[in-house]
Amino acid sequence: MTALTITRPDDWHLHLRDGAMMRAVLPYSAQHFARAIIMPNLEPPVVTLAQATEYRDRIMAALPDGMKFTPLMTLYLTEKTDPDDVTAAHNSGLVKAVKLYPAGATTNSNSGVSKFDTIRPTLERMAEIGLPLCVHGEVTQNDVDIFDREAVFIERVLDPIRQKTKGLRVIMEHITTKDAVDYARAQDETLAATITTHHLVINRNHILAGGIKPHFYCLPVAKREEHRLALRTAATSGEPRFFLGTDSAPHTDANKLLPCGCAGCFTAPNTMPILAQIFEDDNALDKLEHFTSLNGPKFYGLPVNKEKMTLTKKPMQFPSHVNTDDGPITVFDPGYDLHWSVI
Ligand code: NCD
Ligand code: ZN
């Protein structure tokens, strides 16, 4: 096959940041993706409908003329979130999900949740009104090894929340383990899981063997090869519960290359060519559209995009860096040549 036309994709987990960084990275998402679920972990976080509305306006103001892109906003769940504000956010039509960060789990998660009982009224309300919960699924206790934090979260936090809150729609975000794939497969249609581009490409050796590679460091951290293979099987299966959330998470090189560097891979510019290659290698090109364009809208109850995207078989050159007024950002390098391009 030398050309593939699919429904224009969406990104169900994206960090656009703000200010100079947002202006630099937004065009890379907008050139390929029609819509994206926009992560609320700004400093300060996007907690209320009023903040989400202002952030959305800043995104639209930064969108270059002639580009079409719809940001689907999220609220950052805190122990003080007001269920009535969540209902108002849902009714506004601007906010499509609420995001749960366990406090301390990742970048700008300090305002997240420590005592999960405190968010019960909000979760009950979300189940009632049908607003989905996006979950960063890692425990944060220091006695739990960082490579085990996702599996332990499923058992200790996620499953109890779902048992207590029947009907709550949950997205397990950026899953990294076979445990998460197996859990997702055993649940009803109220549960879905997103998978990133980079977790389909790298395992933990890529980060740590032969020298430390800060640009492969993200959270949840990449796991053993057997887990990467489980993610590939899930992504390429076409099953409705699995869809793309790139978790494209730009940080300047200055902030990545520190003694305590930031977590995040910036994959917005080359995600679609990387995915086409992965699906081709796994004999699943016919499932690419399900993963990138069909399964997500179905879970969120949104229409599938009307526009199309064509990928053609020709070498894709991507920039090694994107420059911003805050400094350069390194683009995720899968470590091999890419031979699909978006035309
Ligand atoms: C994200 C970020 O930088 O905001 N980092 C990451 O490694 N994925 C936060 C997150 O989604 O965990
Ligand atoms: Zn993220």
Side-chain angles (χ1 to χ4, degrees), residues 13-15 39 41 99 101 136 174 219 247-249:
H13 180 133
L14 175 65
H15 297 272
M39 286 297 121
N41 63 333
K99 172 73 188 242
Y101 289 103
H136 183 111
H174 42 50
L219 288 170
D247 195 14
S248 181

Side-chain angles (χ1 to χ4, degrees), residues 57-84:
D57 291 346
R58 295 199 298 279
I59 296 169
M60 294 315 285
L63 189 67
D65 285 346
M67 289 193 118
K68 255 184 83 187
F69 179 74
T70 305
L72 308 173
M73 308 310 291
T74 59
L75 298 185
Y76 187 119
L77 181 55
T78 75
E79 294 182 354
K80 298 202 174 77
T81 292
D82 174 3
D84 289 340

Side-chain angles (χ1 to χ4, degrees), residues 14-206:
L14 175 65
H15 297 272
L16 279 183
R17 314 302 191 201
D18 215 337
M21 173 97 69
M22 174 167 75
R23 284 193 294 280
V25 302
L26 172 60
Y28 288 95
S29 286
Q31 71 177 347
H32 292 167
F33 298 97
R35 300 170 287 195
I37 284 277
I38 309 300
M39 286 297 121
N41 63 333
L42 304 182
E43 199 72 90
V46 179
V47 173
T48 63
L49 168 61
Q51 288 170 316
T53 307
E54 286 165 16
Y55 185 28
R56 182 186 173 278
D57 291 346
R58 295 199 298 279
I59 296 169
M60 294 315 285
L63 189 67
D65 285 346
M67 289 193 118
K68 255 184 83 187
F69 179 74
T70 305
L72 308 173
M73 308 310 291
T74 59
L75 298 185
Y76 187 119
L77 181 55
T78 75
E79 294 182 354
K80 298 202 174 77
T81 292
D82 174 3
D84 289 340
D85 189 52
V86 169
T87 299
H90 177 61
N91 291 341
S92 76
L94 289 185
V95 170
K96 298 299 183 201
V98 172
K99 172 73 188 242
L100 169 59
Y101 289 103
T106 189
T107 311
N108 296 343
S109 62
N110 291 341
S111 313
V113 177
S114 305
K115 299 188 201 74
F116 293 96
D117 276 346
T118 61
I119 59 171
R120 290 230 50 78
T122 301
L123 299 182
E124 298 289 351
R125 180 69 64 86
M126 289 167 61
E128 209 179 291
I129 64 181
L131 187 64
L133 181 72
C134 292
V135 179
H136 183 111
E138 288 188 288
V139 295
T140 53
Q141 286 90 336
N142 265 328
D143 61 339
V144 181
D145 189 274
I146 191 162
F147 294 101
D148 298 333
R149 288 180 178 190
E150 181 172 283
V152 172
F153 183 90
I154 294 169
E155 195 190 308
R156 286 193 197 163
V157 184
L158 178 65
D159 196 58
I161 283 179
R162 294 189 60 246
Q163 296 300 336
K164 277 196 212 155
T165 331
K166 293 290 178 206
L168 179 67
R169 299 179 73 72
V170 174
I171 300 109
M172 299 170 75
E173 298 197 282
H174 42 50
I175 59 169
T176 59
T177 55
K178 179 172 184 302
D179 311 65
V181 170
D182 291 346
Y183 180 81
R185 281 192 165 139
Q187 309 307 309
D188 65 14
E189 74 296 335
T190 59
L191 188 90
T194 59
I195 302 178
T196 75
T197 314
H198 49 283
H199 288 117
L200 296 172
V201 176
I202 60 167
N203 62 33
R204 63 194 202 177
N205 278 6
H206 290 88

